[in-house]
């Protein structure tokens, strides 16, 4: 890239944040933590927060000490102090905001899933290529130190040729039928259900660790078909239809020949954020579970058969980035730190003139795989 690339060589980049819900909060905390953790990194300057109403936007600006707010994200497009549009709004808004941001020459950081379907995701990818801006997807689990380390071990051939990947993201936030209706239960707002929400992370992890996937068959299943609708005053007088999946599973084959079994659920009673993988290689194997994200289980054969087995390795100074956050193994880090590392990589890429991964190319590859799960679903 050349000097014409927005933000090239800059040490501080202007950010506009759209959406002040769960992810808007997490991104803000990560923006604030970045200079505290990496003082020499390319740093964000969050200049404006946008939300759907004046009240929401103003409240976020006040709480997070962001100097400006707006209830009309279009007003951010002409602001030359903004280099990055950070989209933390629901998926049905990603395409419209992302296309406008790219056309305005802004780099685009978007939460997953990129759009409500593959067509929208393809439009977003096309726009960032056409306008030559950086794109980045919030597949943050690939930034856990243990998963970066696992990827490194696999790439270096430490476990030999990968034979099999198993990945599951099971949670139970929607297991009870009386969990109120929300946008995640609507296909026209969220797109797929658990498949898009947690499945996008599982497919991203599979591609990150093992490589491209060539074959996919799977199923999706809906378990709860309507949910209580909470009124403006907190009263429940009716229900609203749910029209996307609650759980899914897929059998895959990777281009390198490995096979895989992937699954996810939002109704997996008892599981909270159980995003776990197991990678089996010809020499060794690796296991990880986000609920114990500071540990990687490593199997490498021992000469003494009596000691043969998985070793629980606590992430610490020898592992990627962990030692920057905490001084010694056993002092855990969490979800927030994955976002700090994600944002660090995105900003550094922009300043260096080279978009860091995962880009919208990765987002589109994942969206296409999710669609292939649905297309092979015998009940659809
Ligand atoms: N990477 C992850 O681990 C992760 C986790 C949770 C959510 N997400 C993704 O983040 C995105 C947001 O999810 P969330 O949980 O933060 O949702 P949320 O409902 O908590 O927040 C969405 C925010 O967008 C705002 N919004 C709605 N319409 C708007 C408009 N027209 N202009 C500006 N703001 C508007 C809402 O008022 C709300 O503040 C989704 O794509 C979701 O899938 C990612």
């Amino acid at each position: 890239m050349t000097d014409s690339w927005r933000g090239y060589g800059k040490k501080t980049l202007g950010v506009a944040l759209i959406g002040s819900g769960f992810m808007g909060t997490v991104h803000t905390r990560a923006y604030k933590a970045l200079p505290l953790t990496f003082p020499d990194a390319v740093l964000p300057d969050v200049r404006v927060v946008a939300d759907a109403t004046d009240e929401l936007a103003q409240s976020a600006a006040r709480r997070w000490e962001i100097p400006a707010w707006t209830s009309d994200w279009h007003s951010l497009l002409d602001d030359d102090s903004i280099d990055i549009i950070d989209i933390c709004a629901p998926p049905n808004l990603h395409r419209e905001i992302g296309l406008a941001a790219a056309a305005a020459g802004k780099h685009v950081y978007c939460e997953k899933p990129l759009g409500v379907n593959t067509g929208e995701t393809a439009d977003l990818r096309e726009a960032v290529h056409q306008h030559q801006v950086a794109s980045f997807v919030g597949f943050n689990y690939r930034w856990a130190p243990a998963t970066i380390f696992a990827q490194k071990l696999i790439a270096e051939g430490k476990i030999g040729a990968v034979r099999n990947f198993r990945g599951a993201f099971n949670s139970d936030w929607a297991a009870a039928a009386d969990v109120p209706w929300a946008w995640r239960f609507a296909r026209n707002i969220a797109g797929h259900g658990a498949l898009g929400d947690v499945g996008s992370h599982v497919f991203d992890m599979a591609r990150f660790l093992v490589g491209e996937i060539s074959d996919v068959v799977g199923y999706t299943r809906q378990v709860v078909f309507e949910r209580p609708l909470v009124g403006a005053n907190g009263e429940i007088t009716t229900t609203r239809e749910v029209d996307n999946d609650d759980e899914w599973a897929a059998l895959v084959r990777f281009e390198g020949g490995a096979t895989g079994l992937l699954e996810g659920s939002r109704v997996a009673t008892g599981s909270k954020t159980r995003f776990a993988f197991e990678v089996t290689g010809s020499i060794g194997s690796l296991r990880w579970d986000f609920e114990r994200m500071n540990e990687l289980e490593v199997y490498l054969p021992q000469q003494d058969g009596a000691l043969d087995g998985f070793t629980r390795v606590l992430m610490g100074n020898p592992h990627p980035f962990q030692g920057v956050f905490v001084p010694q193994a056993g002092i855990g880090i969490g979800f927030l730190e994955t976002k700090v590392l994600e944002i660090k990589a995105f900003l550094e890429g922009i300043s260096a003139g080279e978009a860091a991964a995962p880009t919208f190319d990765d987002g589109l590859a994942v969206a296409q795989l999710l669609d292939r799960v649905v297309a092979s679903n015998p009940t659809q």
Side-chain angles (χ1 to χ4, degrees), residues 20-36:
S20 65
F22 173 37
M23 271 302 109
T25 309
V26 172
H27 284 214
T28 301
R29 289 168 63 203
Y31 286 128
K32 287 181 184 292
L34 183 58
L36 299 175

Side-chain angles (χ1 to χ4, degrees), residues 109-358:
Y109 174 23
C110 188
E111 269 303 337
K112 43 57 59 178
L114 277 188
V116 296
N117 55 46
T118 301
E120 290 197 0
T121 309
D123 289 346
L124 280 161
R125 179 195 169 273
E126 173 65 26
V128 296
H129 280 277
Q130 183 190 344
H131 298 290
Q132 298 192 353
V133 294
S135 62
F136 202 73
V137 192
F139 289 139
N140 51 293
Y141 294 94
R142 56 154 89 185
W143 296 102
T147 56
I148 302 173
F149 185 53
Q151 194 273 340
K152 185 167 173 283
L153 291 175
I154 295 167
E156 289 173 349
K158 292 285 197 304
I159 64 165
V162 174
R163 291 178 171 164
N164 182 263
F165 170 89
R166 284 169 190 242
F169 196 145
N170 286 314
S171 59
D172 70 354
W173 67 270
D178 61 359
V179 170
W181 188 92
W183 64 258
R184 280 183 170 78
F185 298 116
R187 184 168 292 277
N188 67 339
I189 305 176
H192 299 297
L195 182 61
D197 192 17
V198 296
S200 56
H201 285 299
V202 182
F203 275 92
D204 177 66
M205 189 67 80
R207 293 180 68 249
F208 176 59
L209 294 177
V210 184
E212 293 300 338
I213 292 169
S214 51
D215 303 313
V216 188
V217 290
Y219 75 85
T220 59
R221 188 166 87 100
Q222 194 172 339
V223 178
V224 180
F225 291 85
E226 58 179 19
R227 294 200 177 256
L229 189 65
V230 179
N233 300 317
E235 78 289 1
I236 296 173
T237 53
T238 184
T239 59
R240 186 158 170 182
E241 185 196 11
V242 176
D243 64 354
N244 58 16
D245 62 279
D246 289 310
E247 60 172 36
W248 60 276
L251 275 173
V252 307
R253 191 186 301 278
F254 293 85
E255 285 182 0
T259 52
L261 181 57
L262 284 60
E263 62 168 334
S265 173
R266 62 189 180 194
V267 293
T269 308
S271 291
K272 300 305 171 189
T273 307
R274 189 137 200 280
F275 183 12
F277 64 70
E278 178 161 354
V279 187
T280 309
S282 55
I283 300 171
S285 295
L286 305 169
R287 289 177 183 159
W288 178 77
D289 179 346
F290 178 71
E291 289 183 354
R292 307 177 70 140
M293 68 169 280
N294 294 279
E295 304 171 12
L296 185 68
E297 285 190 79
V298 181
Y299 174 80
L300 288 170
Q302 304 295 310
Q303 286 189 338
D304 181 350
L307 294 177
D308 207 32
F310 277 87
T311 302
R312 185 175 72 110
V313 180
L314 282 175
M315 293 298 107
N317 284 314
H319 307 110
F321 300 115
Q322 184 92 7
V324 186
F325 292 105
V326 287
Q328 89 177 26
I331 305 175
I333 63 168
F335 183 81
L336 175 67
E337 284 79 6
T338 67
K339 283 288 176 196
V340 174
L341 293 173
E342 166 173 298
I343 288 169
K344 175 178 180 292
F346 182 47
L347 300 189
E348 278 176 1
I350 292 171
S351 181
E354 204 174 322

